[in-house]
Amino acid sequence: MIASSEPTCGTCGRSLQGVQVSASRRSGTTDELGPDEPERDGSDLLAALLDGMDAALCAFDADGVLTHWNREAERILGWSADEAVGRRGLAGWAVRSADAEEVESRLLSAMHAPGRQVNEFALLTKDGGRVLVRTQSAAVRGPDGKPAGVYCAFSEVHAQIDLERSIALSEALFEDASWGVVLVDVDLRPAVVNAHAAKALGTGRTSVLGRPLGDLLSQGVEELESALQHVLAEGAPPAPAEVWVGVRMPEGERRRCWRSGFVRLASPLAEEPVPLGVGWLFQDVTEAKQSEQEASLLRFRTQQLYRASRAAAECEDPAEAATVHLDFALAGFADHALIDRVAGGALVDAQTEGPVRLVRVAATPSGAPGPSKLSGQAGLPARYAEGHPALQCVERVGALRASAGAAAPEEARLWAEARQWPSDAVHALCAVLRSRGRTLGVVTFLRGAGRSAFERSDAMYAEDVAVRIAASLDLAGLSDERL
């Protein structure tokens, strides 16, 4: 990059002896300081290469005369190549005279030092301002290996710091971040994964690369891929999104909720934004979401119990009050419900040793939805086989859960009909009706295939409802012998 005794152009191989190039000429021409007929092709190529650099660049010969000055240097300091090339040193124009000796000695010392030297200087702009720059200087050697000059690449310190911060942030995200970071390419396949994300996906950082998301997730793939495609097409969404996924782990599938943020990645080198992929950042909020859902469900159920108690208090018939409690309990909890009372009157614990028969008292409609209806006026026992969940519930004096599991639809239908339940029932929960230390019967809640099986928290709610139904049935037995 600096004229020496016999430098040659690496592209064309021609001699550039005696030719010094000012690479910031907008016309692409060169300054001719050597022979009458310079090699124009090589000079123009060198000028184009220097002017195309993103960093400012200047160069000095062995005597400290400025030989090169590119467009980025002109942009930062305001001095054109015509004004800069040919000056000896920087004193009085690019550096304050008081600082010139120190600055020039540190720059030119790179000619006799191995490798590159990094310094920070305050340079002067053409309009009299000052700008702090960070420089990288290195020697340029001639064909004989002796120092022939020095080149200096420099940029504004704040721009360099911004770059370093960006690199540091990127490295920190992929090494130390406490949330998952995944770079997804335009084919929606992971290209870079940090340690936290790899752990959340149940695999290693390298084994996940290039694999379709469907290989890693059993649920939520469509929703996640749709979000990534939207970001590629439209840009980042205004707020994080919560995505429920099923992760294929070595020990089995795990259902997780990931709060995800997305940013579109575009190449900074292209004239127009060219998407490189999507940056996907996520945090596991499963426990928080489950706690939030449980709290919301508890509030709803508490409100339902309160409303049911207020409505039942207005019923003149205690039996009707029992069905009111049943109807309020069904909302969001089950698809069907049944109330069976013990035939022959309530049982004390000592009387549960013999066979127990149950009579249907009330049930929800098996067809279209509607309020529960009283039945069983004839007092005929239900045809429950031995070992029926309702009978077991009476014997155990506690809640009991039953389910057809993952049975085929026809098998599930036969399972429900064998227990005298609606044919679409797949999951059942029986709660004993207790009042004044006696067993009055059983309330059974049923769910179809579209719902999940009953859990322990559901059993606790069912027992709470059963206490209210039992109190109403006990009062009905005292006031009206028809039940």
Side-chain angles (χ1 to χ4, degrees):
M1 297 172 67
I2 297 178
S4 59
S5 56
E6 288 292 337
T8 59
C9 174
T11 302
C12 58
R14 300 176 182 176
S15 172
L16 299 180
Q17 180 180 10
V19 178
Q20 296 175 331
V21 180
S22 173
S24 59
R25 301 295 180 86
R26 298 192 180 276
S27 62
T29 60
T30 59
D31 293 320
E32 299 180 8
L33 303 179
D36 295 335
E37 297 182 359
E39 300 291 344
R40 305 296 302 174
D41 292 343
S43 301
D44 289 343
L45 175 59
L46 181 58
L49 290 174
L50 296 180
D51 275 344
M53 295 178 62
D54 292 331
L57 186 137
C58 62
F60 303 85
D61 62 16
D63 297 324
V65 176
L66 197 67
T67 60
H68 296 77
W69 189 266
N70 73 348
R71 290 182 182 178
E72 185 65 11
E74 178 181 346
R75 185 194 68 80
I76 294 177
L77 298 181
W79 301 96
S80 67
D82 290 334
E83 297 169 311
V85 172
R87 290 177 180 261
R88 181 180 294 276
L90 303 174
W93 64 284
V95 177
R96 292 193 313 172
S97 299
D99 302 330
E101 182 178 353
E102 178 186 359
V103 171
E104 292 175 7
S105 64
R106 291 169 68 180
L107 286 176
L108 295 177
S109 66
M111 281 193 296
H112 307 287
R116 293 180 297 175
Q117 291 188 346
V118 178
N119 296 285
E120 289 186 2
F121 303 119
L123 300 183
L124 296 177
T125 61
K126 186 176 182 179
D127 58 9
R130 299 182 71 190
V131 58
L132 184 64
V133 299
R134 179 173 296 176
T135 66
Q136 293 188 34
S137 307
V140 176
R141 303 187 182 278
D144 57 358
K146 296 181 179 180
V150 62
Y151 78 85
C152 173
F154 63 92
S155 61
E156 296 174 82
V157 167
H158 71 82
Q160 182 71 19
I161 292 176
D162 288 344
L163 175 62
E164 292 178 0
R165 283 174 178 164
S166 297
I167 295 173
L169 174 61
S170 176
E171 293 180 350
L173 286 175
F174 287 104
E175 295 297 335
D176 306 321
S178 59
W179 56 87
V181 182
V182 181
L183 298 189
V184 183
D185 62 22
V186 292
D187 295 325
L188 307 185
R189 301 190 179 209
V192 185
V193 179
N194 75 342
H196 189 93
K199 183 179 179 181
L201 292 168
T203 184
R205 294 185 61 178
T206 56
S207 59
V208 70
L209 303 182
R211 296 173 59 186
L213 293 176
D215 290 352
L216 308 170
L217 306 175
S218 58
Q219 298 180 17
V221 178
E222 295 81 2
E223 183 178 358
L224 183 57
E225 289 184 343
S226 177
L228 294 172
Q229 289 173 346
H230 172 81
V231 174
L232 283 172
E234 304 293 337
E242 292 176 352
V243 183
W244 282 93
V245 298
V247 185
R248 291 191 173 98
M249 306 293 283
E251 62 273 14
E253 180 181 320
R254 294 179 59 191
R255 184 165 170 78
R256 314 302 296 170
C257 180
W258 291 340
R259 180 171 293 152
S260 303
F262 305 93
V263 291
R264 181 168 59 180
L265 305 179
S267 172
L269 304 179
E271 294 183 2
E272 297 182 358
V274 177
L276 298 177
V278 176
W280 170 31
L281 295 85
F282 66 89
Q283 196 170 25
D284 194 321
V285 293
T286 307
E287 294 183 2
K289 290 299 295 182
Q290 289 176 342
S291 298
E292 180 182 327
Q293 291 174 352
E294 290 173 0
S296 177
L297 182 60
L298 180 60
R299 286 194 300 269
F300 173 75
R301 290 178 175 177
T302 302
Q303 292 173 355
Q304 287 297 97
L305 292 174
Y306 171 77
R307 296 189 185 104
S309 298
R310 294 291 301 271
E314 302 300 323
C315 296
E316 296 182 3
D317 185 355
E320 182 183 353
T323 62
V324 168
H325 283 291
L326 191 66
D327 291 335
F328 272 91
L330 275 179
F333 183 67
D335 299 315
H336 304 288
L338 314 169
I339 298 177
D340 297 323
R341 69 175 177 85
V342 176
L347 299 174
V348 295
D349 294 343
Q351 296 175 324
T352 59
E353 296 179 359
V356 177
R357 294 184 302 168
L358 299 176
V359 177
R360 182 67 45 81
V361 173
T364 54
S366 58
S372 303
K373 296 180 180 179
L374 293 170
S375 60
Q377 284 80 3
L380 299 177
R383 295 181 294 107
Y384 289 158
E386 184 178 354
H388 190 282
L391 298 177
Q392 294 184 48
C393 180
V394 173
E395 295 172 359
R396 297 179 182 181
V397 193
L400 184 143
R401 288 174 285 169
S403 176
E410 182 61 23
E411 294 178 356
R413 183 183 66 82
L414 295 175
W415 177 86
E417 292 177 351
R419 288 157 181 76
Q420 308 301 311
W421 291 333
S423 59
D424 60 342
V426 176
H427 311 292
L429 171 59
C430 299
V432 66
L433 302 176
R434 296 277 294 178
S435 178
R436 295 189 297 153
R438 300 173 305 154
T439 300
L440 303 183
V442 178
V443 58
T444 302
F445 295 99
L446 302 168
R447 288 178 177 175
R451 293 176 179 264
S452 61
F454 289 100
E455 299 179 356
R456 184 176 181 82
S457 59
D458 298 324
M460 296 174 63
Y461 177 63
E463 289 176 339
D464 206 354
V465 174
V467 169
R468 289 162 169 76
I469 294 176
S472 298
L473 290 181
D474 195 11
L475 180 59
L478 294 174
S479 60
D480 191 350
E481 293 298 329
R482 67 174 180 168
L483 296 179

